[in-house]
Amino acid sequence: MALTTGERGLHVPPLTTAEDGWLSYRDPSPYDRYPGFDVLLMRTLGSPFGRPVGARVSPFRQALCMVELACQGCRRPAARNAFGHPLFVLPQRRADNTTRYPATGLTDMPPSCAACALSWCPVLKDRGRQLVWAERADLVGVYGSLFVPGTSMLEEQYVQLSDDEDDPDEDQKPDHGDGDASPRPNFLSAVVAERFVRDLQDLTPADPAYVRELAARQGSGPGLMLPVPVLEGRP
C-alpha cells in the first residue's frame, strides 16, 4: 500500500461541492471514493509502478486494506488466530520516540498476514514493534485534510465515520495517532481522506512462534484485487 517509485506523492486536485454538500473532484475518477463509502480520497501523482518507497501510503490502497482487513504488505487476507481475531503489527513508540503507544486505541495501520508480519518494516525500524490479535477492530474514522468554508485548509484532522455527534468522554478518546485525534463527526463531507482508521480494543499478544507457523502454512496465493478497474495513474 506504500507509494511506489512511480508515484511522486499525494495531491488534492481542484475541488467542487455537490448539491448534497459532499466534496468531489472536478474531474472524477473511479478511485475517488472506496466502494461503499462517501468520503473523498486524496489522489496520488504518477502511476503505481516500481518498488515501494517511504512511509506514505496510497489512500485507495490503504482503504482497501483497512476496509477489507487485508494485509498491508501483500493484500492477502489478514492472519487470524483460532478465535478469528486479525493480526496487527503496531509500533511501540510514537514518531517522536518519547511516549509508548497504549495497548488499545486508534491506528491507521492495516492488519498483516503472518509472512509480512515477520518481515522488516521501514516504518517501524526505529519505533519498536508488537504483534497483537485484536478482538475488536472497528472502522471508526479517517485522517485527512479538512476544507471548511470560511477557513483555511486544516491538515491531518481525525474525522469520525459515524453520524453520532456525541463527543466521547475525555478519558475514552484514543490517543494513538500522531495527528489531531479529537473527533470531528460533522465534517466528513468536507474532508479529503488520506488514511482510514480502526479502533483496536481487547488486544492480546501474538506468539511469534505461532505466527511463524502460520506463515509456513500460508503459501503464496494472490492478494485481493482492486475493486474497480485499474486506470493508469490511479490510485
Side-chain angles (χ1 to χ4, degrees):
M1 71 174 184
L3 293 182
T4 67
T5 52
E7 295 168 311
R8 301 186 300 277
L10 303 180
H11 76 131
V12 178
L15 295 165
T16 185
T17 303
E19 293 183 0
D20 60 5
W22 287 83
L23 287 178
S24 62
Y25 294 125
R26 293 180 184 174
D27 60 332
S29 87
Y31 288 99
D32 291 346
R33 308 175 201 274
Y34 193 80
F37 293 86
D38 293 323
V39 63
L40 188 64
L41 298 176
M42 203 170 292
R43 286 185 179 176
T44 59
L45 291 166
S47 300
F49 301 113
R51 61 180 177 82
V53 292
R56 300 203 77 175
V57 300
S58 156
F60 193 91
R61 295 196 295 272
Q62 194 267 0
L64 180 149
C65 293
M66 288 295 270
V67 173
E68 309 298 342
L69 284 174
C71 175
Q72 60 178 291
C74 65
R75 295 209 298 263
R76 285 180 286 194
R80 294 180 182 267
N81 63 9
F83 301 101
H85 305 159
L87 177 67
F88 285 81
V89 183
L90 303 177
Q92 290 183 322
R93 297 179 296 277
R94 290 188 182 276
D96 60 14
N97 206 36
T98 58
T99 306
R100 287 181 62 86
Y101 274 91
T104 59
L106 298 184
T107 183
D108 56 9
M109 298 189 72
S112 180
C113 72
C116 290
L118 301 173
S119 301
W120 181 80
C121 174
V123 176
L124 303 180
K125 64 184 180 70
D126 298 320
R127 301 172 65 179
R129 56 192 289 153
Q130 51 181 328
L131 277 62
V132 297
W133 306 109
E135 182 175 346
R136 291 178 51 202
D138 298 332
L139 198 64
V140 294
V142 297
Y143 280 115
S145 296
L146 198 58
F147 294 82
V148 180
T151 67
S152 58
M153 179 186 70
L154 302 174
E155 296 184 347
E156 194 64 10
Q157 300 295 304
Y158 170 60
V159 182
Q160 291 181 173
L161 290 175
S162 171
D163 292 330
D164 182 6
E165 297 186 10
D166 292 334
D167 201 28
D169 292 337
E170 205 59 43
D171 292 341
Q172 298 300 316
K173 288 183 181 178
D175 185 18
H176 196 279
D178 296 320
D180 178 5
S182 299
R184 301 179 183 273
N186 295 324
F187 295 148
L188 192 61
S189 62
V191 71
V192 180
E194 183 178 345
R195 308 182 307 282
F196 273 74
V197 176
R198 284 186 179 271
D199 184 11
L200 305 185
Q201 300 291 331
D202 301 323
L203 306 184
T204 55
D207 181 357
Y210 179 60
V211 175
R212 283 192 291 271
E213 180 182 334
L214 291 179
R217 302 200 306 253
Q218 179 173 299
S220 57
L224 292 177
M225 299 298 292
L226 295 177
V228 292
V230 174
L231 304 176
E232 184 175 355
R234 304 283 196 277

